[in-house]
């Protein structure tokens, strides 16, 4: 009878442990229900186009049919073709507190509130008096996002193409760890002096229609640790297994007797 009692106790504890372990996997999968049934196409999400603000750093590259004349409008580079952001920023233009940059010969230009494409067109229109068929390419040198918390590689990431979604950002950071709360990802956004906080459920397909799907320049993604992290940090899993092993040993002793 004692042996049966111990075996029953061990079975109950093991069953409880397995139930907890299995139920904890329910919140791991992304985009639950996607593809399980035919759904109407979702409305397309407009891509985010960042606007130039004070303290931004932009690169301006000018070319034309006259390379000699064009050289006057391009600053001399001391960094060659370096891929280092810090070095490349030395060749950029810092937008001052009034939203202006100062270009050689063209002078001061107000570019605050413009996209890089609109800024390119503005500079191009000013160059027509100096260059034949000029082309202008303007890019951000400080388009970056931060991914923090329960991800494999938390870091600040520079985005050269000025466009990134939250799913791409999490992929760059090596994905959310097993301990991260996928259903409650925090996004912090600050624009025009206003800070916003948004919660995003990565378990649901609604994320694709969210206004926060495409990230803005300077966005911060924070993945909070869930109960599993606390559980692991307190070594509770180890403690439970230790107790179970002890009970199994006792049961084995009684079985021998």
């Amino acid at each position: 009878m004692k042996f049966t009692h111990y075996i029953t106790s061990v079975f109950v504890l093991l069953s409880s442990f397995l139930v907890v372990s299995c139920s904890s996997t329910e919140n791991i999968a992304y985009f639950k229900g996607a593809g399980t049934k035919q759904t109407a196409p979702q409305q397309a999400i407009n891509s985010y186009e960042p606007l130039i603000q004070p303290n931004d750093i932009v690169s301006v590259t000018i070319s034309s049919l006259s390379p000699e004349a064009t050289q006057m409008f391009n600053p001399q580079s001391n960094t060659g073709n370096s891929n280092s952001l810090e070095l490349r920023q030395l060749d950029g233009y810092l937008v001052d507190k009034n939203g202006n940059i100062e270009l050689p010969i063209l002078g001061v230009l107000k570019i605050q509130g413009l996209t890089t494409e609109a800024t390119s067109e503005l500079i191009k229109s000013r160059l027509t008096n100096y260059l034949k068929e000029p082309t202008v390419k303007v890019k951000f040198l400080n388009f970056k996002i931060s991914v923090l918390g329960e991800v494999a590689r938390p870091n600040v990431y520079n985005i050269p193409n000025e466009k990134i979604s939250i799913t791409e950002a999490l992929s760059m950071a090596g994905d959310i760890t097993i301990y991260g709360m996928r259903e409650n990802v925090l996004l912090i956004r600050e624009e025009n002096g206003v800070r916003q906080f948004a919660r995003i459920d990565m378990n649901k397909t609604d994320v694709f229609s969210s206004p926060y799907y495409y990230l803005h320049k300077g966005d911060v993604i924070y993945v909070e640790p869930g109960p599993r992290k606390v559980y692991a940090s307190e070594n509770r899993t180890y403690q439970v297994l230790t107790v179970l092993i002890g009970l199994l040993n006792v049961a084995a002793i009684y079985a021998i007797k």
Side-chain angles (χ1 to χ4, degrees), residues 62 68-74 93 102-109 126-127 129-131:
I62 298 171
E68 295 80 8
T70 303
Q71 190 61 37
M72 298 185 298
F73 296 92
N74 289 312
Y93 293 92
E102 186 172 359
L103 298 179
I105 301 177
L106 297 182
V108 176
L109 296 177
R126 301 290 183 89
L127 288 170
N129 294 329
Y130 304 95
L131 300 175

Side-chain angles (χ1 to χ4, degrees), residues 28 30 53-54 84 118 120 127 130 134 145 205 218 220 235 256-257:
I28 295 176
Y30 289 119
Q53 301 296 331
S84 168
S120 298
L127 288 170
Y130 304 95
I145 59 158
T205 57
V220 177
N235 294 318
I256 294 174
K257 291 180 179 181

Side-chain angles (χ1 to χ4, degrees), residues 78-98:
N78 296 319
T79 60
N81 295 322
S82 173
N83 290 323
S84 168
L85 178 69
E86 291 78 10
L87 293 178
R88 286 190 289 113
Q89 285 179 341
L90 296 176
D91 292 333
Y93 293 92
L94 177 65
V95 182
D96 66 24
K97 63 180 181 180
N98 297 315

Side-chain angles (χ1 to χ4, degrees), residues 186-197:
L186 175 64
L187 186 143
I188 305 171
R189 175 173 296 169
E190 185 170 348
E191 291 181 322
N192 301 318
V194 178
R195 185 175 291 116
Q196 306 174 46
F197 299 90

Side-chain angles (χ1 to χ4, degrees), residues 7 58 99 202 204 208 213-214 226 233:
I7 290 296
V58 295
M202 298 301 298
K204 297 182 178 179
F208 294 105
Y213 179 69
Y214 283 109
S233 66

Side-chain angles (χ1 to χ4, degrees), residues 3 6-7 9-11 13-14 237-255:
F3 173 75
Y6 276 102
I7 290 296
S9 300
V10 170
F11 177 79
L13 287 171
L14 281 172
T237 301
Y238 175 78
Q239 294 170 9
V240 170
L241 289 174
T242 301
V243 172
L244 292 178
I245 291 172
L247 289 172
L248 287 173
N249 289 332
V250 172
I253 291 173
Y254 272 84

